[in-house]
C-alpha cells in the first residue's frame, strides 16, 4: 500500500506548506494570532483554523455543529458560509490550543497519506456535498494550503517559499483558469490572443488564444501581435489571482500593452478563487 505516483507531488507540496505554517505559528504570542491577513476578513488564527478544517475534512472527520453569527460581513454566499464554519468555531481558541490541534492534525494526515491506496480517479467528498476525484481534491488542497501559507507570511512579515513545491502547483491551478477569464469573463474578441508574461521565483509565458467560436485555450507558444500583453511578477500574479489585492492596488507592478479596455476587463476578472 502506497500513494499513487500521480498523487505524490500533491502530498509533498501539502506537507512542505503545512510544516512551514506550523513553524511560522509555533512561536507566536497571543496577540499575533489576531493579526489581519490579506485573506478578506480573516486573522492569523482564522487562516490556521481554516487549514485545520480543510485537513479534518480530508480525514473524514464530522463537520462541527455551529451557528454562525449574523454580522460576518465577508460571508455572503453558501460556499463562504460552509467554509466559515470551521473558522468561527475556533475563534476563541488560545494559541496553545491552536498549535496543538494543528500538530495533531499533521500527524493524522501524514499517517492517512502513508496508507492511501486509492486510485487518482477515485471519487471523494467535496465541499457542500459535491464529489470530485481524489487527484483533483489533493491538487486543490495543496494549492489552498500554499496560498494560506503566503497569507500568514504576509501578515507576519516572514516572506518566503514563493518557489516551493506548492508554488508550482498554484501556478498550474491558476493558469488553468486563464482561458475562462480571458474568453468568457473578459469577452476577448474572437480569433485574438492574450499573452501573460510572469517573472520572478516562478517564471512563465503563456498565450490564451480565443478561437472563432469564442473558446479560449492555453498555449506555451508565443503569439505574434497579441491583443493584450500583461507583464507582472509572480507574487503580484498570485495576490491578484487569489483576490488578495485589487488590480488598482498593484497597478504600478503590472505592465499592460495593447487594447486598454480588454486589459482592464481581464484584470477586473483576474481573481479566480472563491
Amino acid at each position: 500500500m502506497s500513494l499513487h505516483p500521480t498523487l505524490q507531488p500533491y502530498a509533498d507540496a501539502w506537507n512542505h506548506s503545512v510544516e512551514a505554517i506550523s513553524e511560522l505559528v509555533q512561536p507566536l504570542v497571543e496577540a499575533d494570532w489576531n493579526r489581519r491577513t490579506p485573506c478578506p476578513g480573516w486573522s492569523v488564527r482564522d487562516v490556521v483554523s481554516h487549514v485545520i478544517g480543510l485537513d479534518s475534512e480530508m480525514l473524514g472527520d464530522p463537520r462541527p455543529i455551529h451557528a454562525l453569527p449574523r454580522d460576518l460581513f465577508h460571508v455572503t454566499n453558501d460556499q463562504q458560509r460552509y467554509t466559515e464554519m470551521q473558522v468561527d468555531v475556533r475563534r476563541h481558541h488560545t494559541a496553545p490550543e491552536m498549535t496543538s490541534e494543528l500538530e495533531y492534525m499533521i500527524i493524522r494526515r501524514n499517517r492517512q497519506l502513508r496508507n492511501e491506496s486509492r486510485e487518482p480517479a477515485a471519487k471523494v467528498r467535496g465541499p457542500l456535498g459535491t464529489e470530485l476525484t481524489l487527484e483533483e481534491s489533493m491538487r486543490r488542497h495543496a494549492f489552498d494550503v500554499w496560498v494560506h501559507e503566503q497569507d500568514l507570511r504576509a501578515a507576519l512579515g516572514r516572506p518566503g517559499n514563493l518557489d516551493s513545491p506548492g508554488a508550482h502547483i498554484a501556478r498550474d491551478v491558476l493558469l488553468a483558469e486563464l482561458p475562462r477569464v480571458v474568453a468568457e469573463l473578459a469577452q476577448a474578441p474572437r480569433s485574438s490572443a492574450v499573452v501573460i508574461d510572469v517573472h520572478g521565483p516562478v517564471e512563465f509565458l503563456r498565450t490564451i488564444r480565443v478561437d472563432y467560436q469564442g473558446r479560449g485555450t492555453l498555449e506555451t507558444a508565443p503569439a505574434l501581435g497579441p491583443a493584450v500583453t500583461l507583464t507582472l511578477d509572480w507574487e503580484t500574479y498570485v495576490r491578484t489571482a487569489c483576490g488578495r489585492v485589487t488590480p488598482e492596488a498593484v497597478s504600478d507592478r503590472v505592465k499592460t500593452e495593447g487594447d486598454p479596455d480588454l486589459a482592464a476587463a481581464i484584470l477586473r476578472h483576474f481573481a479566480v478563487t472563491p
Side-chain angles (χ1 to χ4, degrees):
M1 299 249 182
S2 63
L3 197 59
H4 192 282
T6 303
L7 304 177
Q8 193 64 54
Y10 305 130
D12 292 343
W14 165 81
N15 186 261
H16 192 278
S17 293
V18 82
E19 289 290 353
I21 288 172
S22 179
E23 187 178 317
L24 283 168
V25 301
Q26 280 290 346
L28 297 184
V29 298
E30 200 68 50
D32 289 334
W33 286 84
N34 298 320
R35 287 197 194 190
R36 199 159 90 179
T37 72
C39 191
W42 281 1
S43 65
V44 167
R45 177 183 281 100
D46 295 339
V47 168
V48 176
S49 295
H50 176 57
V51 170
I52 292 170
L54 285 173
D55 274 292
S56 71
E57 296 196 18
M58 296 289 278
L59 283 160
D61 291 351
R63 282 175 53 77
I65 298 170
H66 178 71
L68 286 178
R70 295 176 179 268
D71 59 350
L72 297 173
F73 69 92
H74 59 283
V75 178
T76 59
N77 57 47
D78 286 344
Q79 170 131 6
Q80 289 169 345
R81 276 186 281 277
Y82 181 94
T83 301
E84 196 73 18
M85 199 76 77
Q86 294 276 14
V87 173
D88 194 67
V89 78
R90 294 176 174 84
R91 282 215 159 98
H92 300 294
H93 287 197
T94 63
E97 286 173 326
M98 293 297 297
T99 53
S100 62
E101 187 179 12
L102 178 64
E103 285 305 302
Y104 182 50
M105 179 275 294
I106 293 172
I107 291 168
R108 292 177 65 211
R109 276 283 286 144
N110 273 315
R111 183 186 302 129
Q112 180 193 41
L113 289 168
R114 280 196 303 272
N115 295 325
E116 180 61 80
S117 58
R118 290 175 292 180
E119 290 294 309
K123 294 292 186 180
V124 297
R125 186 184 72 183
L128 292 170
T130 57
E131 268 197 349
L132 66 167
T133 66
L134 179 60
E135 180 176 2
E136 178 62 15
S137 175
M138 289 183 64
R139 185 175 78 110
R140 278 277 163 188
H141 189 58
F143 165 70
D144 285 344
V145 175
W146 179 81
V147 171
H148 290 308
E149 178 198 340
Q150 293 304 314
D151 288 333
L152 294 172
R153 288 186 178 280
L156 299 169
R158 297 276 306 278
N161 282 355
L162 281 167
D163 60 349
S164 67
H168 292 273
I169 288 168
R171 173 200 61 197
D172 295 342
V173 169
L174 295 174
L175 280 174
E177 296 290 337
L178 279 177
R180 182 175 67 91
V181 168
V182 171
E184 294 178 34
L185 303 179
Q187 292 284 292
R190 297 181 179 199
S191 302
S192 67
V194 169
V195 170
I196 308 289
D197 186 1
V198 173
H199 55 90
V202 175
E203 293 189 330
F204 53 87
L205 188 147
R206 294 291 187 276
T207 299
I208 304 92
R209 294 191 187 276
V210 183
D211 66 18
Y212 67 94
Q213 292 180 314
R215 292 177 304 212
T217 55
L218 187 70
E219 300 179 5
T220 55
L224 296 175
V228 164
T229 299
L230 297 180
T231 305
L232 63 165
D233 66 273
W234 168 237
E235 185 177 7
T236 302
Y237 181 92
V238 169
R239 292 172 68 206
T240 309
C242 294
R244 272 38 178 184
V245 292
T246 63
E248 294 76 19
V250 291
S251 59
D252 60 323
R253 302 184 68 169
V254 182
K255 180 185 175 186
T256 62
E257 298 176 73
D259 181 343
D261 292 336
L262 178 57
I266 293 168
L267 289 170
R268 194 162 55 246
H269 296 287
F270 213 66
V272 293
T273 56

